[in-house]
Amino acid sequence: MVVGLLAVVVVLGAWQFRVRGDVPSAYGAWLWLRSWWPAVGGGLVLLVVLGLVWPRSATRQPHDWSRTTAVVSAFTAVAALVFTALSLDATREQVAVSEQAQITDRFTKAVEQVGVKGADRVHLRIGGIYALERVADDSERDRPAVVELLSAFIRDTSPRLPDRPCDKVAPDVQAAFTVLGRRPPHVRGDPIRVVDLRGTCLVELWALDADLTYVVLGDANLDRASLGRVKLGPVTFNRTSLRGAHASGVDFRGSWALDGTDFTGATLGSANFEGVDLSGARFEGADLTGAKHNGSTKTTGATKDSATKGAWW
């Protein structure tokens, strides 16, 4: 009988592992134990009792019930520990579900704040923007959605229109750009998520120490923007207006495109243009003192004037 019961337990275990072949064996064992632990515990106790009783009953020897009681108590304690572990695991799952629900609620409320209209509600929009940053910090799964939402907010709120000059960047747009500029760096092997800010008005933008990796700024207006110590590669600046921008010491080597960029009156001292395509770029009145370049730097069609400082072509 004991052998038969043991064989049944082994067969059931083998069948369970075969059914759960899509998960690692250790995790499969844990899932199996979570579902079958009462039967396993009862079967083990029964096997122990039968193992103690059967041989003695077969030889008609008096049974030592104190020993049996001690063994059953030990197995009961083990079962209690297993039950406690399973309860803790279930509690962790409930906490995780609760945390996800809270993050979803926070995300929804933050989006509602960002969507509030009116110049007198700018503080609510800024609060929603920084609330979204907290959501992105707490939930890696929601981070791409936050980045896309803030990018769309900048594009919709501050578009560059051909028939209207750009105003100074609004406080809420500045806040959204600040959050995008300090998002976690891209990890090699992860999907590349491009931040699309094409055709936007970002005049007098404050972007010190911002990470502009994989940011597309083509046809955007960043006149008089402060770009000190920004991380640029890879980034797109083709046909971007950077008139009067402060970009001293900026390393432009990682840029995807700088052709047709307007650097008129920009401060570019000690900037690095080695291997960069500057075809058609404008440098009238720009300060290029100490700017780095090499034989791969393309300046075909690039313009300058008598007020340009440090031009090498």
Side-chain angles (χ1 to χ4, degrees):
M1 181 181 294
V2 175
V3 175
L5 289 173
L6 183 60
V8 170
V9 171
V10 172
V11 170
L12 285 175
W15 175 79
Q16 188 72 5
F17 280 117
R18 183 181 64 83
V19 170
R20 296 190 179 274
D22 59 326
V23 295
S25 58
Y27 187 57
W30 178 246
L31 293 176
W32 180 83
L33 184 60
R34 288 179 59 184
S35 302
W36 292 84
W37 72 267
V40 172
L44 289 175
V45 172
L46 181 60
L47 287 175
V48 171
V49 171
L50 289 176
L52 293 173
V53 174
W54 183 265
R56 293 181 180 273
S57 61
T59 57
R60 304 181 186 278
Q61 295 180 3
H63 182 71
D64 187 356
W65 288 104
S66 62
R67 180 183 176 187
T68 300
T69 302
V71 173
V72 172
S73 298
F75 272 94
T76 302
V78 172
L81 290 175
V82 172
F83 177 78
T84 302
L86 294 173
S87 299
L88 290 175
D89 184 65
T91 301
R92 283 194 294 268
E93 289 185 353
Q94 292 175 358
V95 170
V97 171
S98 177
E99 288 178 349
Q100 287 301 316
Q102 291 178 2
I103 289 175
T104 300
D105 184 61
R106 288 164 52 195
F107 182 86
T108 302
K109 291 181 178 179
V111 171
E112 291 175 355
Q113 283 184 250
V114 173
V116 172
K117 302 295 183 181
D120 58 334
R121 300 294 184 90
V122 64
H123 61 287
L124 287 177
R125 292 194 292 275
I126 293 176
I129 289 167
Y130 288 119
L132 285 174
E133 183 180 27
R134 289 292 301 275
V135 170
D137 290 340
D138 295 339
S139 175
E140 185 176 354
R141 185 177 66 178
D142 295 310
R143 192 173 298 157
V146 171
V147 171
E148 292 174 6
L149 191 150
L150 293 180
S151 303
F153 172 78
I154 293 176
R155 293 196 305 271
D156 295 341
T157 304
S158 190
R160 185 182 184 184
L161 302 177
D163 56 347
R164 189 178 68 186
C166 285
D167 297 325
K168 180 181 176 180
V169 63
D172 49 357
V173 174
Q174 173 67 69
F177 189 93
T178 299
V179 171
L180 291 174
R182 61 189 182 203
R183 69 196 187 284
H186 175 262
V187 178
R188 180 175 297 180
D190 288 351
I192 295 175
R193 304 188 184 280
V194 175
V195 180
D196 186 3
L197 299 179
R198 290 174 295 175
T200 53
C201 282
L202 300 172
V203 174
E204 298 186 29
L205 179 73
W206 190 262
L208 295 179
D209 298 309
D211 184 356
L212 302 185
T213 304
Y214 298 115
V215 176
V216 179
L217 288 163
D219 298 302
N221 188 330
L222 280 82
D223 291 351
R224 302 182 299 283
S226 297
L227 303 175
R229 301 187 303 274
V230 296
K231 181 180 179 181
L232 290 185
V235 62
T236 299
F237 276 120
N238 55 313
R239 298 180 305 279
T240 303
S241 181
L242 287 163
R243 300 171 66 92
H246 301 278
S248 297
V250 173
D251 189 350
F252 287 96
R253 289 178 298 174
S255 303
W256 279 331
L258 277 168
D259 53 296
T261 304
D262 190 351
F263 289 107
T264 300
T267 303
L268 300 164
S270 301
N272 195 331
F273 292 107
E274 294 178 349
V276 176
D277 185 358
L278 297 173
S279 301
R282 298 187 60 181
F283 291 95
E284 288 85 349
D287 185 358
L288 291 162
T289 304
K292 299 178 182 179
H293 59 92
N294 57 18
S296 300
T297 303
K298 297 180 181 180
T299 56
T300 304
T303 60
K304 58 183 178 178
D305 61 9
S306 59
T308 304
K309 300 179 182 178
W312 63 87
W313 72 97

